Amino acid sequence: MECSAIAHCIMSTTEISGQGPAYPAGTILAADDASIAAAAAVLAHGGTVAVPTETVYGLAARADQDASVAAIYRAKGRPDFNPLIVHVPDIAAAERLALFDDRARLLAAAFWPGALTLVLPRREGADLAAAVSAGLPTVALRCPAHLVMQAVLRACGLPLAAPSANRSGAISPTRAAHVAASLGDRVDLVLDGGDTRQGIESTIVGLRVDGGWAVLRPGPITPEAIAAVLGMEASDHDRAKIEAPGQLASHYAPGKPVRLNASEAAADEFLIGFGHVAGDTTLSATADLAEAAARLYACLHAGAADPRPRIAIAPIPDAGIGIAINDRLRRAAA
């Protein structure tokens, strides 16, 4: 597999002893067979590893141990009422953790591996720490498509809780350098798999006991695509109720005020453009929404690093994946 080489402090995996990993916290390794084996060892010993997925980098820890899940919450400074997504290598592994009905199997067959998270009833006796569900009777499951994350899942043989690898509420990371800047030595190891391809978190779907369904968090997979598989439109849901990750009103924040729907910038603003609005940087000069999603967090990181105290962002069409982009922007501006 091809991965970028931002790596530093690279050490041989032979330095991992039976007592656990010997890497300094925050070490970045280029993702290859040796570093994936090293990551599996860190995870097996209860540590945390930042791993690329096709959406954003995730902060992974084994999902079957309370102490490991607590390490995620501690590293992120994440509220403990905010549930975590559990990543699995395939549908068979997912069915050991949650109750699948025909709708869930249809969606998994259509979109897994990929950027869809399913919120399903947690199976009684599932080998999961209680904290991953944050007290809810459900569990959020995803089978990721990224080759590095898949390799880590299969190397460690464990379900992995993996929210975005950044401080809670901050901008999500789409490259290893973003992880390092946000978490530093709060993460035990970082696997560098280059820039993520889709750049925005997975779509989260909740399946209701009455047969309905709802998008709990917009993402790369649109409601129209889901409705086409299930043969029915989405039902309403209580947006004030936390059922899944990414539902907090203020999230993905760059640490300075954000103004949306801007056609030009004030003197004290860093402008993120789109289409004909050029800006200091642009989500997509050709108004390509897929490109805009992939570049969203990199552009927000650039705005956060700029000395100007405010960020302005050009209008984004509220259709297709633009719905997910605007969802993130509204939370960033809240």
Side-chain angles (χ1 to χ4, degrees), residues 2-81:
E2 295 183 1
C3 302
S4 65
I6 305 175
H8 69 274
C9 298
I10 297 181
M11 302 180 182
S12 167
T13 55
T14 59
E15 294 181 74
I16 298 176
S17 70
Q19 299 303 311
Y23 295 102
T27 294
I28 300 177
L29 300 177
D32 56 22
D33 290 346
S35 62
I36 286 167
V42 171
L43 292 164
H45 285 91
T48 56
V49 179
V51 187
T53 77
E54 66 274 27
T55 57
V56 300
Y57 275 71
L59 180 61
R62 56 189 301 165
D64 62 341
Q65 290 186 350
D66 290 332
S68 300
V69 174
I72 292 176
Y73 282 102
R74 186 165 55 251
K76 287 178 63 70
R78 185 183 179 94
D80 61 8
F81 58 80

Side-chain angles (χ1 to χ4, degrees), residues 99-243:
L99 299 175
F100 276 63
D101 60 14
D102 289 343
R103 297 169 302 163
R105 292 189 182 94
L106 281 172
L107 291 174
F111 300 114
W112 280 5
L116 180 72
T117 294
L118 295 174
V119 176
L120 300 170
R122 182 168 166 152
R123 185 178 290 278
E124 186 175 354
D127 193 14
L128 290 172
V132 298
S133 296
L136 299 171
T138 54
V139 61
L141 294 173
R142 181 159 92 93
C143 174
H146 199 286
L147 293 178
V148 175
M149 184 56 147
Q150 274 288 337
V152 170
L153 284 164
R154 296 185 184 281
C156 70
L158 297 163
L160 298 177
S164 58
N166 55 277
R167 296 298 299 273
S168 185
I171 308 168
S172 298
T174 56
R175 58 185 63 151
H178 295 159
V179 178
S182 186
L183 293 180
D185 62 5
R186 289 171 172 263
V187 57
D188 293 321
L189 188 65
V190 180
L191 293 185
D192 182 6
D195 289 5
T196 62
R197 180 170 54 86
Q198 292 179 307
I200 197 167
E201 294 87 351
S202 63
T203 303
I204 301 181
V205 170
L207 297 178
R208 307 307 193 201
V209 294
D210 63 2
W213 64 277
V215 172
L216 305 181
R217 181 180 72 186
I221 297 172
T222 65
E224 292 79 10
I226 295 164
V229 171
L230 295 180
M232 61 182 299
E233 298 299 318
S235 53
D236 292 333
H237 72 283
D238 182 358
R239 297 182 183 276
K241 182 180 178 182
I242 301 296
E243 299 180 70

Side-chain angles (χ1 to χ4, degrees), residues 76-95:
K76 287 178 63 70
R78 185 183 179 94
D80 61 8
F81 58 80
N82 199 3
L84 302 175
I85 295 175
V86 176
H87 294 69
V88 293
D90 50 40
I91 295 176
E95 292 217 41

